[in-house]
């Protein structure tokens, strides 16, 4: 969280933020939120009351959201004014921009599509960066809640071979700009399917990488694990 706080200061204040979160999944279509004042969605359970009570009252960005939707044509894209900010968005933004004064909107992930589709979506959205829009992918490179080591302390590397290997192979592919390897993530390591049992948390990486512009090198802003097997890797292009 300290790294996120500093990261927001280093990036500066964007005109708006587009969040692609692991926690908004759709099937056979993409949805874009055009809410003027998106609500804070507490889409989780079993956490302390303080977390359930947190609010992130950032304004929406309906006009920017509509332009984002237009860049994705001919894909099937729907607009909704009912969708708020899920915890994949606001728990990160709470640290990046604690004043909650930067307009924010979200784009759903069509979970029925393969990796190449999501990288292509990121490329289509890249033009928004020229308008001062920050494109933020929120997930985890390695995310398997069934196999976490719940009492393990935070660590710089994964505490199981399968989690650490996938994270390191992903890093190598990111640094090499090897989009083919990242699209075909199931072949990245021997136990890739254990590291990514379901791609919801992995796909946001492809949107961020797809939005990178020519010549931009990846910078690993943070590297480390929580609960032994949850990669908290943060990567920036631009």
């Amino acid at each position: 969280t300290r790294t996120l706080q500093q990261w927001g200061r280093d990036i500066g204040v964007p005109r708006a933020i587009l969040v692609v979160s692991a926690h908004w999944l759709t099937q056979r279509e993409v949805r874009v939120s055009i809410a003027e004042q998106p609500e804070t969605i507490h889409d989780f359970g079993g956490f302390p009351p303080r977390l359930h009570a947190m609010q992130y009252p950032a304004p929406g960005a309906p006009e920017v959201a509509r332009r984002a939707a237009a860049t994705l044509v001919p894909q099937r894209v729907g607009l909704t004014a009912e969708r708020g900010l899920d915890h994949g968005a606001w728990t990160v933004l709470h640290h990046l921009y604690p004043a909650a004064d930067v307009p924010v909107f979200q784009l759903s992930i069509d979970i029925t599509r393969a990796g190449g589709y999501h990288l292509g979506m990121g490329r289509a959205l890249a033009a928004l960066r020229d308008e001062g829009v920050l494109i933020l992918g929120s997930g985890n490179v390695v995310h398997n809640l069934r196999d976490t080591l719940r009492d393990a302390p935070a660590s710089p590397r994964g505490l199981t071979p399968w989690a650490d290997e996938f994270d390191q192979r992903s890093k190598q592919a990111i640094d090499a700009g090897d989009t083919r390897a990242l699209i075909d993530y199931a072949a990245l390591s021997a136990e890739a399917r254990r590291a990514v049992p379901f791609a919801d948390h992995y796909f946001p990486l492809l949107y961020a990488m797809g939005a990178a512009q020519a010549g931009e090198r990846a910078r690993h802003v943070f590297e480390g694990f929580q609960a032994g097997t949850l990669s908290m890797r943060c990567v920036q292009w631009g």
Side-chain angles (χ1 to χ4, degrees), residues 56-207:
Y56 191 77
E63 293 308 313
V64 181
R66 287 187 174 90
R67 285 201 299 281
T71 68
L72 301 177
V73 174
Q75 305 299 332
R76 184 177 178 183
V77 181
L79 303 178
T80 175
E82 305 302 320
R83 176 74 184 189
L85 301 177
D86 61 54
H87 81 272
W90 64 264
T91 60
V92 176
L93 294 173
H94 168 74
H95 297 290
L96 285 173
Y97 298 104
D101 55 355
V102 181
V104 182
F105 67 102
Q106 286 196 233
L107 172 80
S108 75
I109 295 174
D110 181 348
I111 200 61
T112 66
R113 303 283 194 150
Y117 172 86
H118 302 292
L119 184 77
M121 293 285 279
R123 287 173 173 164
L125 293 165
L128 294 174
R129 290 181 52 192
D130 294 333
E131 300 181 29
V133 178
L134 173 65
I135 298 175
L136 190 157
S138 175
N140 296 90
V141 172
V142 181
H143 187 273
N144 183 338
L145 294 183
R146 292 182 181 274
D147 283 348
T148 55
L149 309 176
R150 295 192 179 276
D151 294 327
S155 55
R157 297 279 294 264
L159 299 183
T160 66
W162 59 266
D164 189 63
E165 181 183 20
F166 187 87
D167 186 61
Q168 290 300 308
R169 293 283 181 86
S170 297
K171 178 183 179 180
Q172 292 167 8
I174 290 168
D175 290 343
D178 190 349
T179 55
R180 185 178 298 276
L182 292 166
I183 287 171
D184 190 20
Y185 66 90
L188 265 179
S189 69
E191 293 191 85
R193 291 295 188 185
R194 191 172 183 184
V196 185
F198 189 58
D200 56 345
H201 277 74
Y202 179 82
F203 281 156
L205 169 66
L206 300 182
Y207 286 79

Side-chain angles (χ1 to χ4, degrees), residues 17-31:
I17 302 171
L18 162 56
V19 181
V20 180
S21 163
H23 296 278
W24 189 14
L25 307 179
T26 48
Q27 296 185 34
R28 291 174 290 281
E29 71 167 350
V30 173
R31 304 282 284 173

